[in-house]
Amino acid sequence: MILRGILAAFVGMASGAVVSGAVFAFIAAIGVVPRLAKRTATEESIVIYEEAIIWGGILGTTTLLFDYSVLIMPAIIVILSLLAGIFFGVLAMSLAETLDVLPILAKRIAVKEGVQYFILAIALGKAAGSLLYFIVAGFHTPGG
């Protein structure tokens, strides 16, 4: 029985390491961090960005493994949620840029000008959908 638990823990840790390694490799492959550093003229801080992503992944994973809570003021929760949303937006747009999704789509639907408004509409639509999902009753059913 103890050996089975040790084996299960080892397999779980190994699987988690492989999946997290794949996620971080994916983020590195599409170049989110260097692109973000270049756009914000903070190339010297790339190591800090990478460390923040790694520690965020580790701490986020611990919330799934352990039942704990941290008392945070609602204003800080809003700020942290906004920052998480910005990160995932940057991640999605980097992926789209890497795969040349937007230029191909603009060419297919014959858009010559205003691609930036198309991108803004996608971002605002995603934000509105997220707000509806979490705020309006009926969009989100806990546990279901």
Side-chain angles (χ1 to χ4, degrees), residues 30 35 90-104:
I30 64 173
R35 230 175 271 229
V90 168
L91 181 68
M93 291 311 293
S94 293
L95 179 60
E97 186 178 331
T98 301
L99 298 175
D100 291 330
V101 171
L102 296 177
I104 292 170

Side-chain angles (χ1 to χ4, degrees), residues 125-144:
K126 179 68 175 162
S130 296
L131 287 173
L132 283 174
Y133 181 79
F134 288 111
I135 294 174
V136 176
F139 276 82
H140 178 342
T141 306

Side-chain angles (χ1 to χ4, degrees), residues 61-76:
T61 301
T62 63
T63 64
L64 299 173
L65 297 174
F66 305 107
D67 188 23
Y68 68 87
S69 63
V70 178
L71 296 176
I72 300 176
M73 293 184 304
I76 294 175

Side-chain angles (χ1 to χ4, degrees), residues 88-89 92-93 96 101-103 105-106 109 114-130:
F88 285 113
M93 291 311 293
V101 171
L102 296 177
L105 180 63
I109 61 174
V115 174
Q116 67 270 25
Y117 300 117
F118 182 69
I119 294 170
L120 181 62
I122 291 171
L124 292 176
K126 179 68 175 162
S130 296

Side-chain angles (χ1 to χ4, degrees), residues 13-31 53-54 91:
M13 292 288 285
S15 300
V18 168
V19 170
S20 64
V23 168
F24 292 126
F26 174 71
I27 289 172
I30 64 173
I53 291 170
I54 290 168
L91 181 68

